[in-house]
Amino acid sequence: MKKHYVLSTTILIGSIIIDQLSKTWGKTLPSLHYNQGFIMGVYADLPDSLRIVALGAFAGFIFFLYLFLMFIIPTAARFIKYGLSFLVGGIFGNVIDKMIYGRTVDFIPFSLGNTHVVFN
């Protein structure tokens, strides 16, 4: 197995672990917020069963897209593969939270003018 595939897989798994650990730590912060929906709370009113099915399908699609991109991105562009591994690891961390707890933990506040959001 090529070295960059091993490193990409390590980054993917490591970012999922770090995501879960940071959310455990984030539960102790005063800026804690639970996101019931998808991105920025969209679809928070979906029934739990539909949310789990939709998230499972979404996770499967993202995983196969990730594998496809790992295959077609040339070895010379390995840093793109590493960045993609970080991104997909963060997505999977949120999917894990949504499927197990029905919500994600958001704890990093951000403000820009009159817009205030909390994310993870």
Side-chain angles (χ1 to χ4, degrees), residues 71-92:
F71 180 73
I72 66 165
I73 294 173
T75 305
R78 65 184 180 277
F79 291 110
I80 293 174
K81 291 183 179 191
Y82 303 155
L84 187 61
S85 295
F86 278 116
L87 176 67
V88 172
I91 291 169
F92 281 176

Side-chain angles (χ1 to χ4, degrees), residues 91-109:
I91 291 169
F92 281 176
N94 285 351
V95 169
I96 289 168
D97 284 352
K98 295 274 189 193
M99 291 183 82
I100 293 174
Y101 306 114
R103 59 190 182 186
T104 58
V105 174
D106 293 336
F107 57 91
I108 302 171

Side-chain angles (χ1 to χ4, degrees), residues 23-40:
K23 289 175 185 173
T24 301
W25 172 74
K27 290 178 182 178
T28 65
L29 299 176
S31 60
L32 176 66
H33 174 73
Y34 290 106
N35 183 351
Q36 302 289 342
F38 290 107
I39 298 169
M40 304 301 227

Side-chain angles (χ1 to χ4, degrees), residues 30-53:
S31 60
L32 176 66
H33 174 73
Y34 290 106
N35 183 351
Q36 302 289 342
F38 290 107
I39 298 169
M40 304 301 227
V42 176
Y43 302 124
D45 55 347
L46 285 178
D48 289 340
S49 58
L50 183 58
R51 186 176 10 221
I52 290 172
V53 170

